[in-house]
Amino acid sequence: IGIIIFAILLIAVVNAILLGRKSLSKEKIAVDRTLARKYAEELSILVRHKTIALKDTSNEPLFVEMQKDMEKLFPLVHQNLVKHFFPGGSMLFHWKGKSNENPLVLMAHQDVVPASIEQWSVDPFAGVVTDTEIIGRGSFDTKCTLYAFFRAVEELLETGYVPETDVYLSSSSDEEISGVGAATIVEFLKSQDIKPGLVLDEGGAIVTGALPSVSAPLALIGVIEKGYVNFKLTAKSSGGHSSTPPKNTPIARLAALINDIEKNFPLKTKMIPEVKQLFATAAPAMSFPYRLLFGNMWLFKGLTTWLLPKINPYGRALFSTTIAFTMMEGSKAENVIPSEAYVIANLRTHPIQGIASSHEAISKLAKKYNVECEILEGREATPMVNTQGKAYRYLVNQIQSNFPDVLISPYVILGGTDARFYQEICDSALRFSPIRVSNEDLKKMHGIDESLKIDALAEAVIFFSSLIQGYDGLRK
C-alpha cells in the first residue's frame, strides 16, 4: 500500500512540475498612448455625472444630462443607430446589420453607487485623470465598458463599416439597486421577437491575483449567477421583565442557532465542473504547492472541496450556498425580554442547492431551538451557459486574440447583474468585461478611490471593435 501511495504522489508531483513549465509569457497587444489619453479624458466626462440610482425616477434628469454628453462624444452613433429611451434613463441603441439573425447585445449600466467626498483622495465625481488612471465613481463599474463599446461603434461607423448582423447597445439606469431598467428593455426586445445569439454584460474581468500565487492575469467569464433569498428566523416567548430572566429567551435561542450554523455548516458543498475548470486553468501559473494541489484535481478534488470552504470565504462561496446574518431585532426597551425576536439571514444560493432545499435544511435545524424560518423575497440561480456552445467559444477566441497573455476560465458570479433578465430570450448571456484589474482595484469598486487604468480602457475599445467585426450571428 505504501508503494502505491508513493507512486500516486510521485505522479502528482511530476504533473505539477510539468504544468509549471507551460509557457505563459506572451506579450500584450500595444496600445496607442495618445489615443488612450483621449479615451480617458472622454470617459472622465461621463464620470462627472452623478448618476446615482434611486427607487423612483427623480434622478432621471441627471441621466439625461449624461446622455447629452454621450451624443456629443458619439455623434455618428446617434445619427445612424435607432434609439429607444425608457423611464428612469435606461436606453437601447439598435445598429442594423446585413442580417437580423442572432443579434449581438452589449451591456453596461449607467448608474453608480453613492460616494462620500470626505473619504476619497479626490472628488469622486470630478473625473480626475492622472498619468496612469481615471479616478472616480463609475470609472470601473461600469461607465468604462459603456464608453468602450460606444467608442468602438463610433470608430467603426467612421470607416463605413456595416455589421454582419444587428448589434444592440443596452444600458440600464438602476442596476445597482436591482431595478427594472434591464427587465423593461428585455420586454421591449421580446415584443419585437428579438432573440440574441450572444449577450455580453459585466461580471467577470481580467484579474491579476484572482487566486493565490497566480502569476498570470485570469480572464473570468461568468456563466452563472448565484441566487438570492432572505430568510426571517423568528423566536417567540411570553416576554417578561429583565429582572427575572428565564433560560432560552428568544435572543438566546437565536444566538444558539446562529452559532450552530456558523460552526456546523448545514448546507451542501460540491465542486461543480465550472469551478474545477477555474482551478485547472489557473494551476500552471501558480507556485508549486498550489500547483500540486489545484493541478491534480483527479487526486485532491475531495480534499479541496472539504478544506477550502472551511478556511476561505471565497472558497465557501464557490462551493456552496452562503449564509450571512445581516439584521436583528428584539425588544424595544433594554429592560424587557422580547416576546418576539428575529434575525434576517441573507443567502446566496448555489446551483447545487436552491431556495426550497436551503429553506428545508435551515428550518430543520431551527426547530431544535424552537425558531421559525420564513422565506422572504428571493430569486433562484440563473441557468448555466453552455461552455461548449458557439457563443462561449467565440468569446474565448476573441479574448485570446486581444489579450494573448491571459488565461481564460468560466466563473461563478457571486452577486447579481442585469444579464439575468436576458436569459429569458438568450441562452448565452455571458458576464465578462474586457478590463484589466487587480484584486486591489476590485476592492475599490464600490469603495473609496474607484479607478481604472488608462491602458485598460484603450484595450477595451480595441476588444469591442474586434468582437463586433468578428461576430456573424454564430453562423460558422
Side-chain angles (χ1 to χ4, degrees):
I1 294 176
I3 295 175
I4 294 173
I5 294 174
F6 176 79
I8 292 172
L9 289 175
L10 181 62
I11 292 171
V13 169
V14 171
N15 185 51
I17 293 171
L18 294 176
L19 282 174
R21 293 178 179 175
K22 286 189 175 181
S23 176
L24 299 171
S25 57
K26 297 180 180 178
E27 294 293 326
K28 296 181 183 179
I29 293 177
V31 299
D32 184 313
R33 298 294 303 165
T34 302
L35 202 56
R37 184 74 189 186
K38 171 181 176 288
Y39 293 160
E41 296 289 352
E42 291 182 347
L43 172 59
S44 73
I45 295 172
L46 306 187
V47 172
R48 292 170 202 158
H49 293 276
K50 296 183 180 180
T51 50
I52 297 171
L54 298 176
K55 291 293 184 182
D56 56 35
T57 60
S58 60
N59 258 11
E60 185 170 353
L62 299 179
F63 289 87
V64 172
E65 287 302 312
M66 188 179 80
Q67 290 162 6
K68 288 179 181 177
D69 275 337
M70 292 183 69
E71 187 169 0
K72 296 174 185 175
L73 290 172
F74 315 116
L76 294 179
V77 172
H78 286 75
Q79 293 167 21
N80 290 276
L81 274 63
V82 179
K83 296 171 285 186
H84 305 277
F85 294 93
F86 303 90
S90 298
M91 58 187 186
L92 180 71
F93 284 52
H94 176 199
W95 190 8
K96 294 183 179 180
K98 299 173 185 176
S99 165
N100 62 2
E101 181 183 0
N102 299 328
L104 171 66
V105 177
L106 303 176
M107 296 174 61
H109 58 87
Q110 304 160 70
D111 59 306
V112 300
V113 297
S116 173
I117 190 170
E118 290 79 15
Q119 297 175 306
W120 285 54
S121 62
V122 300
D123 183 339
F125 293 102
V128 173
V129 181
T130 70
D131 291 341
T132 58
E133 62 185 359
I134 311 104
I135 306 173
R137 178 61 83 225
S139 56
F140 173 58
D141 186 20
T142 59
K143 289 181 179 179
C144 62
T145 45
L146 179 70
Y147 170 85
F149 61 65
F150 265 84
R151 170 50 59 195
V153 172
E154 181 76 12
E155 293 179 0
L156 288 172
L157 287 168
E158 289 173 357
T159 69
Y161 178 79
V162 178
E164 289 299 314
T165 193
D166 289 1
V167 177
Y168 290 87
L169 311 181
S170 175
S171 182
S172 73
S173 59
D174 53 10
E175 189 274 347
E176 295 290 8
I177 56 171
S178 298
V180 299
T184 302
I185 294 173
V186 168
E187 285 302 312
F188 171 79
L189 293 173
K190 284 171 60 180
S191 72
Q192 305 297 308
D193 198 29
I194 295 165
K195 297 177 181 178
L198 169 60
V199 173
L200 190 60
D201 192 14
E202 65 167 329
I206 300 172
V207 185
T208 301
L211 292 171
S213 82
V214 176
S215 59
L218 191 57
L220 301 171
I221 304 175
V223 294
I224 187 172
E225 287 181 20
K226 295 183 77 174
Y228 176 105
V229 66
N230 289 320
F231 291 168
K232 184 177 182 180
L233 300 166
T234 305
K236 299 178 181 180
S237 77
S238 57
H241 197 279
S242 63
S243 62
T244 53
K247 291 185 177 181
N248 297 318
T249 60
I251 289 178
R253 298 194 328 263
L254 287 171
L257 172 60
I258 292 170
N259 184 62
D260 196 348
I261 291 173
E262 292 275 323
K263 286 188 172 182
N264 307 292
F265 190 73
L267 303 180
K268 297 177 183 177
T269 301
K270 182 180 179 181
M271 184 186 295
I272 61 175
E274 290 71 21
V275 172
K276 182 180 178 182
Q277 188 174 339
L278 169 62
F279 293 141
T281 299
M286 291 178 167
S287 63
F288 181 78
Y290 288 102
R291 193 163 68 245
L292 177 63
L293 180 64
F294 293 112
N296 290 289
M297 281 294 123
W298 58 275
L299 179 60
F300 296 121
K301 180 181 176 182
L303 175 63
T304 304
T305 304
W306 175 81
L307 181 61
L308 197 58
K310 289 178 169 58
I311 63 175
N312 186 284
Y314 180 63
R316 170 60 69 197
L318 286 177
F319 290 121
S320 308
T321 292
T322 55
I323 310 169
F325 300 99
T326 56
M327 300 173 68
M328 187 172 190
E329 184 172 299
S331 173
K332 300 295 185 182
E334 66 272 12
N335 63 344
V336 175
I337 296 170
S339 58
E340 180 175 308
Y342 71 82
V343 171
I344 300 297
N346 176 253
L347 285 76
R348 300 303 174 108
T349 58
H350 197 280
I352 64 169
Q353 189 161 27
I355 293 174
S357 178
S358 298
H359 180 251
E360 182 181 356
I362 300 298
S363 295
K364 182 178 179 180
L365 187 59
K367 285 181 181 179
K368 287 174 52 180
Y369 301 93
N370 194 19
V371 171
E372 299 172 2
C373 182
E374 175 189 359
I375 299 175
L376 303 180
E377 73 280 0
R379 62 174 183 264
E380 297 285 6
T382 63
M384 186 81 71
V385 177
N386 181 9
T387 58
Q388 301 304 313
K390 287 185 178 181
Y392 183 87
R393 298 314 309 168
Y394 175 69
L395 180 58
V396 167
N397 290 336
Q398 284 293 313
I399 296 171
Q400 289 173 333
S401 298
N402 290 282
F403 301 98
D405 61 311
V406 310
L407 301 169
I408 306 168
S409 173
Y411 179 63
V412 177
I413 300 296
L414 306 181
T417 73
D418 278 341
R420 69 182 184 277
F421 295 108
Y422 283 77
Q423 298 206 234
E424 188 176 349
I425 58 174
C426 179
D427 293 332
S428 299
L430 295 166
R431 289 87 165 167
F432 172 74
S433 296
I435 304 292
R436 291 183 189 267
V437 291
S438 67
N439 268 337
E440 291 305 309
D441 295 327
L442 292 176
K443 291 175 184 176
K444 296 188 292 184
M445 185 169 64
H446 280 187
I448 300 169
D449 288 346
E450 179 181 348
S451 63
L452 178 81
K453 296 293 187 292
I454 290 175
D455 284 358
L457 181 63
E459 286 181 314
V461 175
I462 294 169
F463 172 85
F464 280 119
S465 180
S466 173
L467 185 81
I468 293 168
Q469 291 181 82
Y471 187 78
D472 64 354
L474 306 174
R475 288 189 287 273
K476 293 180 182 177

